Amino acid sequence: MQGKMTALSELLARYAGEPAIQVLPVPADAADSEALIRHYQTALAAIERALWAIGPDEAELATYQRAFRELEQLIARRGDDRRHRFVIVIPVADRPQHLTNILDSVLALCRAFEYGGCEAGRYRKVLVVVADDSQDAAVIRRNREIAADFDRQGIETFYFGAEEQAAELRGLDPELRARIDAIVGTPEIDGFQRKGASITRNIAYLLARRMCTDGERRLFYFVDSDEQFKVRVPYAGGSRDLLALNYFHHLDRIFSERDVQVLTGKVVGDPPVSPAVMAANFLDDVIGFLQQLAKEAPRTSCRFHADAPPDADDAAYHDMADLFGFKGKTRRFDYQCTVDGAHDHTACLAGFADKLDRFFEGEHPTRITWYGHTDDFPSLQPARTVYTGNYVVSEEGLAWFIPFAPLKLRMAGPVLGRLIRAALGGGFVSANLPLLHTRTVAGAEAFEYRAGVARESARVDLSGEFERQFFGDVMLFSVSELIERGYPRETSAAEIDQVVGAVAASMYRKYQEKRQAIAVRLQQAEALFNAAERWWLQLPGGESAVAKFRGFFDNLRANFGEDAPGYRLIAPGENRDARRCAIVQAIAGLVEDRAAWQQVLVSRPS
């Protein structure tokens, strides 16, 4: 790098006036590789703060990435690279386009920053495990091909399908295998398809444990298939998705410099929660949109654009955010139109209508979470929730399997997080290293598979998702209460049963209150939309948007109204009794499950 302008020097010149840059020491000996590496690391951290002070543009971001590649070249020349190798585990079930998108982002991340170096077109310190839980035979073949294709492009990619997962289980001592049904289920009997992401992750833990035998330091990075290694930032009139964070570099330093076993990030973009708990606040925003739209003329220039879209990172997308310690906010969020170019309110209405059905897949058209850089980046904080779509564990952290996985409930990450926090304290942290969450695939002819969401023609049935969410909440708040009482070691089966019963009753009342609020809002929204004087009802060619709104209202009524099947599943009765019994049994068995798992981890893989 001698004798020419480096990317680092370009950036230092660009931000020379910044206080953090002005105080940077200059290496006394440019030939001292260790000193030069330290200089790059210190300078890049300072540049990162300056870069985000006004928001990076594409050119500056490209130079920033090139500076990291220069750092990697210096490390490669020095040799003896003892940094962590990353094993990225991606559970996927019948989502080939999502899988392609996240692998594209991994490849782009490696090309941009080259963490660990690149030799003969291969990225040395990154391995991807595609943990396939698909059911469709054609999709399974496609996922194998996708994994093989990315392996050819330079990222070692291991397809971990049904055969490979079965082999992992067969490799266990039969007596030990019989003791971990509550962790990995019984896929040998039930089948290795759509077991659920939690079981699939736990089986992948077995593969991870087998990798930890050669002395190399590894970090296991668990992500969801509907995510990407990017962040979403707002700008006037829209948003940008940026490949802006050197995830591997920052995570390696965190785990090298701190006594951390488990780290969790978050997500930006679409909310990480179920549509079962977002209907009330979305209806608030739909009502606000219709009230504003009714005041506008159909052919005038669209006014649904703002320079600074509101941020929903305070869990504003969740109808019951107060349960998680967030202060309730009643304000509505204005819709930010995403139609490009000059357009009128007719086009805006059509654009909003196109988004309505995607709500049932988990998108929230009005409450989007944006990335916000922090001065103390990566902003490590004590954690209480694991985002199972974005968390990292060390070899020691493999002890923390996803609990109660065979129940297939939502909220598995928050439950795990509460348990880890009680046991590890500072060994469990969160970092400002979010991934971009995209519930649906742009341009897809049909939605890819999502557990708990069933479709038949225009009708959407959320009852499976609704039940998983409700009993996941019951599990979470029962475990939280029990931890306060000394769980998992100082609680009896009777006490567990009492707590679960009380939490289920309390949570049912909460869900019923929210159901009534949804009914009121739905009636108001429909009355606003269907009023005879509305211009969109008279608009030539507007039939499609009108039909989409009415279909949206119909699906909300079917899923949250008086006869909604989801509410029957959580009401007092046979199903709730069965679920309560299973939850109590699972919670009571955790101590034995942990003991068996520890034996698995220390046993010799066959």
Side-chain angles (χ1 to χ4, degrees):
M1 297 180 195
Q2 301 297 320
K4 66 176 182 178
M5 190 76 165
T6 65
L8 184 68
S9 58
E10 288 180 31
L11 290 168
L12 290 174
R14 165 68 177 82
Y15 296 111
E18 296 292 330
I21 304 298
Q22 291 176 339
V23 299
L24 280 175
V26 178
D29 182 1
D32 184 340
S33 61
E34 287 294 341
L36 196 54
I37 287 170
R38 288 194 299 271
H39 173 63
Y40 260 80
Q41 292 171 338
T42 304
L44 282 167
I47 289 166
E48 196 162 56
R49 289 192 290 274
L51 190 71
W52 282 99
I54 57 174
D57 63 30
E58 297 293 340
E60 288 176 334
L61 195 53
T63 307
Y64 172 73
Q65 293 166 350
R66 184 157 53 91
F68 265 107
R69 295 198 296 271
E70 292 171 355
L71 171 60
E72 291 296 335
Q73 293 170 18
L74 292 170
I75 294 172
R77 289 175 189 172
R78 180 197 62 188
D80 193 28
D81 185 357
R82 296 183 180 274
R83 291 175 298 170
H84 291 92
R85 189 179 194 204
F86 283 85
V87 180
I88 304 172
V89 182
I90 309 173
V92 62
D94 295 294
R95 297 181 189 172
Q97 188 56 56
H98 275 302
L99 178 62
T100 299
N101 290 349
I102 189 169
L103 288 173
D104 269 333
S105 78
V106 174
L107 183 59
L109 181 68
C110 289
R111 287 173 173 170
F113 295 104
E114 287 189 1
Y115 172 83
C118 184
E119 292 182 358
R122 308 289 290 178
Y123 296 96
R124 298 189 309 108
K125 284 189 172 289
V126 179
L127 164 68
V128 173
V129 174
V130 175
D132 200 354
D133 197 28
S134 298
Q135 178 175 286
D136 187 294
V139 171
I140 291 170
R141 288 193 296 272
R142 177 67 184 132
N143 286 349
R144 282 187 179 274
E145 293 168 358
I146 292 168
D149 179 54
F150 280 90
D151 189 86
R152 285 190 293 270
Q153 294 185 65
I155 296 176
E156 185 179 357
T157 307
F158 175 59
Y159 179 82
F160 189 57
E163 295 176 7
E164 293 80 4
Q165 294 170 34
E168 210 62 53
L169 293 176
R170 287 195 302 269
L172 296 173
D173 175 83
E175 181 181 351
L176 266 181
R177 169 65 192 91
R179 293 175 57 196
I180 60 170
D181 283 355
I183 300 173
V184 298
T186 54
E188 304 97 325
I189 300 170
D190 304 325
F192 281 86
Q193 302 170 342
R194 296 191 182 176
K195 308 176 295 299
S198 293
I199 286 179
T200 304
R201 288 188 184 97
N202 286 344
I203 295 176
Y205 274 41
L206 297 174
L207 173 65
R209 147 257 199 191
R210 194 158 53 80
M211 292 180 179
C212 299
T213 57
D214 59 2
E216 184 174 14
R217 295 198 305 164
R218 286 179 176 82
L219 292 174
F220 299 94
Y221 201 161
F222 289 82
V223 301
D224 277 344
S225 60
D226 59 359
E227 296 171 340
Q228 297 175 56
F229 284 86
K230 298 178 182 178
V231 293
R232 179 163 293 172
V233 297
Y235 78 104
S239 63
R240 292 186 295 168
D241 297 340
L242 302 178
L243 203 168
L245 305 183
N246 192 347
Y247 296 88
F248 303 144
H249 168 80
H250 294 299
L251 288 167
D252 169 73
R253 296 199 71 173
I254 291 168
F255 277 85
S256 297
E257 297 169 4
R258 292 173 175 261
D259 185 18
V260 173
Q261 289 188 27
V262 182
L263 178 145
T264 185
K266 295 186 179 182
V267 296
V268 293
D270 293 331
V273 299
S274 165
V277 291
M278 298 195 298
N281 68 72
F282 182 46
L283 278 170
D284 277 339
D285 300 344
V286 171
I287 289 167
F289 172 73
L290 293 175
Q291 288 173 334
Q292 290 178 273
L293 191 67
K295 300 174 184 177
E296 307 292 344
R299 298 303 181 186
T300 56
S301 181
C302 178
R303 298 180 61 182
F304 288 85
H305 296 268
D307 291 339
D311 194 349
D313 66 352
D314 58 353
Y317 45 74
H318 201 303
D319 285 344
M320 293 176 277
D322 57 304
L323 288 173
F324 301 90
F326 296 99
K327 293 182 179 179
K329 293 184 179 179
T330 57
R331 71 183 180 96
R332 292 171 178 170
F333 280 61
D334 292 333
Y335 172 61
Q336 304 298 313
C337 182
T338 58
V339 178
D340 292 327
H343 61 279
D344 58 20
H345 290 110
T346 302
C348 176
L349 174 67
F352 192 95
D354 286 342
K355 294 176 171 60
L356 292 172
D357 194 43
R358 291 172 175 260
F359 172 80
F360 299 104
E361 300 293 318
E363 285 191 9
H364 199 309
T366 51
R367 307 196 182 201
I368 297 168
T369 305
W370 309 100
Y371 175 68
H373 202 75
T374 52
D375 289 340
D376 61 344
F377 178 83
S379 187
L380 295 187
Q381 303 290 333
R384 68 169 185 170
T385 289
V386 171
Y387 284 81
T388 51
N390 180 8
Y391 73 105
V392 186
V393 300
S394 64
E395 180 177 349
E396 294 77 16
L398 290 173
W400 296 101
F401 57 84
I402 309 294
F404 322 127
L407 298 183
K408 296 185 179 180
L409 301 179
R410 292 188 63 89
M411 310 307 287
V415 171
L416 174 60
R418 298 325 190 258
L419 292 167
I420 296 176
R421 181 178 65 168
L424 289 186
F428 175 39
V429 298
S430 68
N432 188 24
L433 292 167
L435 300 177
L436 176 61
H437 191 212
T438 52
R439 288 282 196 175
T440 59
V441 179
E445 295 182 2
F447 296 111
E448 294 197 304
Y449 171 71
R450 190 163 296 280
V453 180
R455 289 180 174 270
E456 184 175 349
S457 187
R459 177 65 70 221
V460 181
D461 180 2
L462 293 178
S463 57
E465 178 82 338
F466 196 89
E467 184 198 23
R468 291 173 62 234
Q469 180 68 51
F470 175 81
F471 288 108
D473 284 338
V474 171
M475 173 69 83
L476 170 62
F477 291 104
S478 296
V479 168
S480 297
E481 171 67 21
L482 288 165
I483 286 173
E484 294 296 318
R485 301 184 184 200
Y487 179 77
R489 297 202 173 272
E490 298 176 15
T491 45
S492 65
E495 188 174 13
I496 293 170
D497 184 65
Q498 181 271 324
V499 168
V500 172
V503 170
S506 173
M507 197 62 59
Y508 182 66
R509 290 192 295 272
K510 185 81 172 176
Y511 269 65
Q512 286 291 75
E513 290 171 4
K514 196 55 62 176
R515 181 188 199 179
Q516 293 167 9
I518 291 168
V520 171
R521 289 165 169 82
L522 180 56
Q523 184 178 27
Q524 184 181 356
E526 288 192 289
L528 271 168
F529 186 81
N530 291 317
E533 67 272 19
R534 299 302 178 225
W535 58 258
W536 49 79
L537 299 180
Q538 323 300 329
L539 193 69
E543 297 84 1
S544 176
V546 170
K548 289 173 181 176
F549 266 89
R550 287 176 174 164
F552 170 70
F553 294 145
D554 287 344
N555 274 320
L556 279 181
R557 187 176 299 102
N559 285 285
F560 297 94
E562 287 300 318
D563 297 322
Y567 284 91
R568 292 198 298 269
L569 292 172
I570 69 172
E574 183 178 345
N575 187 69
R576 192 159 104 183
D577 289 343
R579 278 292 200 177
R580 171 180 170 177
C581 181
I583 289 172
V584 169
Q585 184 177 1
I587 292 175
L590 183 63
V591 171
E592 291 185 7
D593 295 340
R594 282 181 172 178
W597 189 249
Q598 281 301 125
Q599 285 190 259
V600 167
L601 291 179
V602 300
S603 64
R604 182 182 299 275
S606 61

